[in-house]
Amino acid sequence: MVDKNVLPGDFLSTEEEFEPGSNTFAENGSIFSNSVGKAVKDSKQKTILVKKPKDISVADVGDIVYGEVMLVKDNSVQLSIFTEPSEGNRKVLSRTIASLPIRLVSKDYVKNMRDMFKIGDLVKAKIVSVKPYGIDVRTNEMELGVIRAFCSCCRQPLHLFGRQLKCLRCGKGEQRKVSQDYALK
Ligand SMILES: [Zn+2]
């Protein structure tokens, strides 16, 4: 936990162990980070706090992130996201959960989220906001969206033919909000 990079909403400790210090908040007996930064334990004061050092890179609005679809709901998708090194400035962040609201999926009208994403898909997204309770992302650009998807029948990676995804093993055709960077063509 010491020197661990954290994002808003990351679990830090229980209130039994520590008092919530600066840049943290407590809820239902647990202490969470309220900020991007490094989690630091002060054993003397029995507090845990988050430092915002200037020398670490943080996830920011406009950053590209990659995420795995954990949950598909009617109005949003939950992604487990991680950043990639960018411009020689390695972004080391723990995995965190981001939310993709249906209105930010595509420039086109999206009728059903379940036609756009499925659990296990890898998604390229852009951060639109970083808030205490989590990160919101969007995929409403050509380069954003699913970059790797798996067959819902046999779990094989799907290949992209034009705008249609197809399973080479069982022949099933599938649909997604596909990124122009889709991996398998
Ligand atoms: Zn298949």
Side-chain angles (χ1 to χ4, degrees), residues 151-156 158 167-172 174:
C151 177
S152 52
C153 285
C154 68
R155 305 306 302 162
Q156 281 292 108
L158 296 169
C167 176
L168 296 184
R169 184 194 273 173
C170 75
K172 190 172 189 294
E174 298 205 12

Side-chain angles (χ1 to χ4, degrees), residues 81-121:
I81 60 160
F82 46 95
T83 56
E84 64 165 359
S86 73
E87 288 146 33
N89 203 354
R90 193 166 179 88
K91 301 199 171 191
V92 273
L93 293 171
S94 52
R95 273 175 176 256
T96 191
I97 298 296
S99 178
L100 167 59
I102 192 165
R103 69 182 199 295
L104 299 179
V105 165
S106 170
K107 289 196 168 96
D108 301 326
Y109 172 66
V110 174
K111 197 176 165 197
N112 191 343
M113 271 309 233
R114 287 164 225 279
D115 292 337
M116 299 287 117
F117 300 96
K118 290 201 166 33
I119 287 170
D121 289 351

Side-chain angles (χ1 to χ4, degrees), residues 62-63 65 79 99-101 103-107 123-129 136-141 144-145:
D63 279 0
V65 289
L79 299 165
S99 178
L100 167 59
R103 69 182 199 295
L104 299 179
V105 165
S106 170
K107 289 196 168 96
V123 176
K124 183 178 179 182
K126 231 176 224 182
I127 295 178
V128 286
S129 68
D136 273 3
V137 295
R138 64 185 177 89
T139 56
N140 51 4
E141 278 179 49
L144 306 175

